[in-house]
DNA sequence: GGGGTCATGTAATAGGTTACATGATTCT
DNA sequence: AGAATCATGTAACCTATTACATGACCCC
């Protein structure tokens, strides 16, 4: 099924991908991640980046190429992709595309414990969520439109498209849920069952 | 915005919720998590459970109640929810319900690097994904139907409902994506742009 | 020329996962 | 009685996040 990767952090995938283009030093990798806003889909922070780079080097997927001291800034180590690294990138990417994996979204956790909260309050909380959610959908749509108008090809926006699709579905779900929670029958039942716990 | 919790692992939330009902020892908590299949929405493993319990105790959200040696099994420490723990449970749950959080789904990462793979191959991989996905949707639907037929109230199925909703949206997204990838115009463009990298 | 903030990295700490350990019960 | 598996936990090992450090450049 699912392969046990030597380096499992998604950041590593991005590193491999960037090194396909040319050798780079870690800081530069980080800069590009932010610049291209890939940090929207990959949880980026500098500490982890250096860690991941070290792991990749140890695993033989990238190799130290040279250490330069350009100006008098701290030394920067430039890494290059190895043949194995290239292979890993493709293999990993294929797996990610082809095989869905069990995700654990935060909202799912909340839902699995929803009966704990009183229905009326929950409905209110969900309305707040819905508002934020619709806001986000709007933002992303705008962002996509903007990028398109600048001539960005759709492949580079596909992941934002995905985001809207999912958010949109969540919006519909939340709306329906609110209605169910406001159903007086349910409110009564809930009070009978759980109302005692204050 | 988002509160920095003393204990952030979602497992902790489940622990607090179960302890609302009655004091328990960790192993029992784990047993119930699995029994009620909450491990579908919360990433459960025993090691983490013991860790989380320790953290919760240190934070004062739960308290050691007694240590029993029933039979001659290893000693089991029974924990009870404290007043602070109760408060934390509610507060946390409210936040999870009301505020969407940035998630980093694996598929999103793949999408953000989609241009790396040749379109024809990608389309094939996505078909495989689509198949698995539709299978999962079917499974969950069946699971819901089953539970309903056993008289389970909808609140306890709401999280499976959420799952289907999202999976379903993903299915539609993937289908469309496949079509776009099969568009000869795009295939040509891709070859011009990236075909060189083998 | 002193106060921000860029550029660059390391080290300390906390968090999570796997592996190991051991007696009890149950099955055949 | 030996094999499998349940019940229960601890310890070792990775991973990830935060905090710290330091010299350069840029602005008034």
């Amino acid at each position: 099924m699912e392969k046990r990767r030597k380096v499992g952090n998604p950041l590593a995938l991005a590193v491999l991908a960037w090194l396909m283009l040319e050798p780079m030093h870690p800081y530069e990798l980080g800069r590009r991640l932010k610049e291209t806003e890939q940090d929207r889909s990959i949880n980026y922070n500098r500490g982890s980046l250096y860690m991941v780079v070290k792991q990749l080097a140890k695993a033989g997927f990238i190799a130290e190429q040279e250490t330069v001291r350009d100006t008098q800034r701290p030394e920067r180590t430039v890494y290059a992709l190895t043949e194995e690294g290239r292979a890993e990138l493709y293999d990993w990417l294929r797996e990610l595309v082809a095989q869905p994996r069990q995700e654990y979204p935060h909202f799912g956790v909340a839902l699995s414990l929803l009966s704990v909260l009183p229905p009326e309050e929950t409905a209110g909380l969900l309305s707040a969520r819905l508002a934020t959610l619709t806001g986000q959908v709007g933002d992303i749509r705008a962002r996509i439109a903007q990028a398109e108008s600048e001539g960005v090809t759709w492949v580079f926006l596909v992941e934002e498209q995905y985001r809207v699709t999912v958010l949109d579905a969540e919006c519909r779900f939340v709306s329906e849920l609110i209605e169910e929670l406001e159903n007086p029958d349910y409110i009564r039942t809930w009070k009978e069952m759980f109302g005692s716990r204050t």
Side-chain angles (χ1 to χ4, degrees), chain A:
Chain A
M1 285 268 82
E2 227 153 85
K3 234 193 211 147
R4 162 112 32 283
R5 308 262 157 207
K6 298 235 189 83
V7 187
N9 190 327
L11 247 188
L13 196 67
V15 169
L16 295 175
W18 279 108
L19 291 184
M20 282 273 296
L21 303 181
E22 51 176 330
M24 271 175 241
H25 56 95
Y27 194 90
E28 171 76 8
L29 284 163
R31 218 172 42 70
R32 303 217 184 173
L33 276 215
K34 300 211 73 149
E35 222 172 67
T36 58
E37 286 178 312
Q38 276 192 306
D39 58 344
R40 283 168 60 79
S41 32
I42 295 177
N43 196 351
Y44 165 65
N45 81 34
R46 258 212 339 292
S48 310
L49 177 59
Y50 283 97
M51 184 204 15
V52 151
V53 165
K54 199 177 300 168
Q55 288 168 181
L56 285 172
K58 177 150 153 240
F61 293 142
I62 66 180
E64 193 165 324
Q65 195 191 244
E66 53 171 346
T67 298
V68 284
R69 150 161 275 153
D70 246 3
T71 65
Q72 45 287 76
R73 300 252 176 63
E75 275 191 345
R76 298 161 313 170
T77 309
V78 176
Y79 291 89
L81 194 64
T82 64
E83 204 33 60
E84 294 79 27
R86 226 182 88 86
E88 175 72 0
L89 167 61
Y90 282 109
D91 188 58
W92 192 356
L93 211 40
R94 289 199 185 97
E95 179 188 312
L96 281 178
V97 171
Q99 298 172 24
R101 319 213 329 182
Q102 172 78 323
E103 314 265 359
Y104 297 92
H106 297 263
F107 189 45
V109 181
L111 289 178
S112 81
L113 295 172
L114 205 67
S115 64
V116 171
L117 294 175
E120 290 117 319
E121 184 189 357
T122 312
L125 297 169
L126 285 171
S127 306
R129 162 176 284 260
L130 187 52
T132 308
L133 246 28
T134 23
Q136 292 180 346
V137 170
D139 286 354
I140 302 180
R141 289 235 163 86
R143 177 185 289 269
I144 293 176
Q146 170 68 18
E148 267 168 357
S149 82
E150 288 167 359
V152 177
T153 319
W154 67 267
V155 204
F156 298 113
L157 297 171
V158 79
E159 161 245 346
E160 297 290 349
Q161 290 291 169
Y162 177 61
R163 245 189 265 290
V164 235
T165 306
V166 172
L167 281 178
D168 217 58
E170 186 175 327
C171 283
R172 287 196 309 280
F173 176 81
V174 170
S175 305
E176 283 170 32
L177 182 49
I178 292 177
E179 293 199 4
E180 290 181 281
L181 286 168
E182 279 167 344
N183 178 335
D185 279 354
Y186 175 64
I187 298 186
R188 201 161 11 78
T189 317
W190 186 88
K191 282 183 179 146
E192 280 161 21
M193 290 203 292
F194 308 111
S196 54
R197 305 181 304 222
T198 306

